[in-house]
Amino acid sequence: MAQPPAAAPPPAAAPFVFPPDAAFTWHSESDEPAPTRLSPVDDRLRADNALQRVRRGEFLRYTGDFHNAKQLLGALGRRLERPWQARSPLEAFRAERRARQLEHSTLSRIVVALDRDYRLELARAPDVSEACRQVWGKPTTDFTAVPLKQLLGMLGAAEWRRKGLAVPGLKGLLHPHYGVYLPTRTDYVELLAAVPDVNGQRVFDVGTGTGVLSFLLLQRGAASALATDCDSRAVACARENAERLGLAQRFQVMEADLFPAGKADLVVCNPPWIPEPPKNRVDRAVFDEDSQFLRRFLEGLPAALTPGGEGLLILSDLAVLLGLRPPGWLEEQFARCGLKVVWRKSTPARHSKAKDKADPLHAARSREVTTLYGLVPAGR
């Protein structure tokens, strides 16, 4: 019997037209000011010419085909200088950061425009409206401009958020949001299994991110978890994940710099591990200028613990291996803050970069160790 013909796919919506000199809302993860002018370009633009123009300070608004725009980004990236052969891990790190900053500042000048429905001004463009609403909320102006590289990152994050992420030891999937640290590195998560009986314990989770450390402890029997984060996106992410995992009755999260009020039986923290200035908002999950967050956490930890309470600090030694901190620095901070280590558990790095010999920082990353420290006031 003959099958009915397949239904024809719906025609793609025609790209809208961005009027010359129209006012627009500018979205960027960095602190760079909004461009005063967007120069329209299309599929005829070649990468060499684009590189010359962005180096002169132009912001190029791509108006052609979506797939060609992505190819242009890739071609521009291949034309940027790569880090040279470094003589030390610290030199390699500095060169790699300069290269990443150059890549960001260059590629962020390829811009796309969206209308009030978050519809892209590009032929063959995917539907980006949901990804935009997840990050920015409802549009408030007729036009929005955003670096294409950032928008592609938002699309990837929206897919992670839709599918969810399996985390070792967590019953259920974690649904990360854009701009919140993605726990694809499982070594620090798995270390929590070494924590002794947590039944009935009240937990503070400082710098919670997705909330994953709280959720692991709650599923192991902790009575409650009160989490903080300085980023509103992390707060929203952790709250949504608690609801998805059925833990909302025992989990609270608030936007705060460090500790909430009160005391807890367990205070857990996985702070940013690189003591360098963050270059943008997303960087803050990894970079902690002059170890300010870590220093203040250790200084405030004794006062946040109940009698008999314990701090749980999870930290990589990559900063020491890169020469950003001297050996013994962390132990000196413990002593300065009146803390002692009552137990520790360590694991070697198993993430992909630790095995990638082509990575400029492979010499350090291949030796990286992450440690969970059990901390109590020194006088106890």
Side-chain angles (χ1 to χ4, degrees):
M1 182 176 177
Q3 297 295 319
F16 72 92
V17 176
F18 182 84
D21 301 320
F24 58 87
T25 297
W26 172 247
H27 283 293
S28 173
E29 289 296 310
S30 68
D31 294 328
E32 295 177 0
T36 57
R37 182 174 181 273
L38 301 176
S39 304
V41 297
D42 56 28
D43 298 334
R44 294 170 293 180
L45 180 67
R46 295 292 174 259
D48 289 333
N49 182 242
L51 188 57
Q52 292 174 356
R53 294 177 66 174
V54 299
R55 281 176 170 169
R56 291 199 299 263
E58 281 192 78
F59 283 83
L60 307 180
R61 190 188 97 240
Y62 207 92
T63 64
D65 180 88
F66 175 76
H67 300 281
N68 290 343
K70 290 201 300 180
Q71 289 179 358
L72 176 65
L73 277 186
L76 283 176
R78 291 189 293 273
R79 283 162 169 77
L80 299 178
E81 296 179 5
R82 310 311 326 160
W84 62 86
Q85 190 67 33
R87 292 171 293 183
S88 68
L90 181 58
E91 190 176 273
F93 171 78
R94 299 288 188 215
E96 181 68 9
R97 281 218 87 187
R98 287 193 297 270
R100 296 286 74 81
Q101 180 61 22
L102 175 64
E103 179 183 66
H104 172 79
S105 61
T106 301
L107 301 188
S108 292
R109 290 181 176 269
I110 305 299
V111 175
V112 291
L114 305 99
D115 68 4
R116 180 169 279 277
D117 296 318
Y118 288 142
R119 186 165 50 117
L120 264 175
E121 185 198 17
L122 297 175
R124 295 200 296 164
D127 183 354
V128 302
S129 59
E130 180 62 22
C132 293
R133 284 186 173 84
Q134 287 177 355
V135 178
W136 303 327
K138 295 180 180 179
T140 57
T141 56
D142 288 336
F143 300 104
T144 298
V146 60
L148 175 59
K149 182 175 176 61
Q150 178 180 326
L151 183 62
L152 294 176
M154 290 164 55
L155 287 173
E159 189 64 10
W160 276 111
R161 184 169 175 174
R162 183 185 68 82
K163 288 183 175 181
L165 174 70
V167 175
L170 186 70
K171 300 171 185 175
L173 296 177
L174 196 70
H175 294 263
H177 291 194
Y178 175 76
V180 181
Y181 181 72
L182 187 65
T184 52
R185 283 185 57 161
T186 60
D187 41 12
Y188 77 91
V189 173
E190 293 171 358
L191 284 170
L192 272 193
V195 180
D197 184 18
V198 300
N199 283 332
Q201 302 289 291
R202 184 186 180 202
V203 175
F204 285 171
D205 181 1
V206 179
T208 191
T210 60
V212 63
L213 300 182
S214 286
F215 305 147
L216 288 164
L217 293 171
L218 288 170
Q219 289 184 346
R220 287 188 55 197
S224 65
L226 177 53
T228 65
D229 203 287
C230 63
D231 194 315
S232 58
R233 294 188 299 204
V235 171
C237 177
R239 184 176 290 124
E240 179 188 299
N241 275 289
E243 292 171 356
R244 286 176 177 268
L245 293 168
L247 298 171
Q249 295 300 313
R250 293 187 289 144
F251 177 81
Q252 289 181 291
V253 61
M254 64 177 65
E255 187 171 345
D257 183 33
L258 269 172
F259 298 94
K263 296 178 182 289
D265 306 307
L266 291 175
V267 179
V268 61
C269 183
N270 176 217
W273 56 93
I274 300 295
E276 290 282 298
K279 300 291 187 182
N280 52 58
R281 184 176 175 181
V282 175
D283 265 4
R284 292 188 301 184
V286 177
F287 294 91
D288 175 20
E289 185 173 8
D290 196 32
S291 304
Q292 293 177 30
F293 182 99
L294 177 56
R295 291 174 192 267
R296 291 187 298 119
F297 171 76
L298 295 176
E299 290 165 357
L301 179 58
L305 293 172
T306 58
E310 186 171 274
L312 302 175
L313 174 68
I314 305 173
L315 192 65
S316 159
D317 68 348
L318 184 61
V320 175
L321 297 173
L322 291 173
L324 296 168
R325 286 189 188 124
W329 179 90
L330 184 61
E331 288 72 19
E332 291 175 0
Q333 297 305 308
F334 291 157
R336 180 181 69 84
C337 298
L339 295 165
K340 68 178 179 181
V341 179
V342 291
W343 63 275
R344 70 181 71 196
K345 175 74 173 178
S346 298
T347 183
R350 296 191 299 276
H351 55 83
S352 59
K353 288 186 177 181
K355 304 172 185 176
D356 182 6
K357 294 183 178 181
D359 186 282
L361 305 182
H362 177 261
R365 283 177 169 149
S366 62
R367 296 182 290 128
E368 181 183 3
V369 171
T370 300
T371 300
L372 169 59
Y373 298 90
L375 300 169
V376 299
R380 205 168 80 196

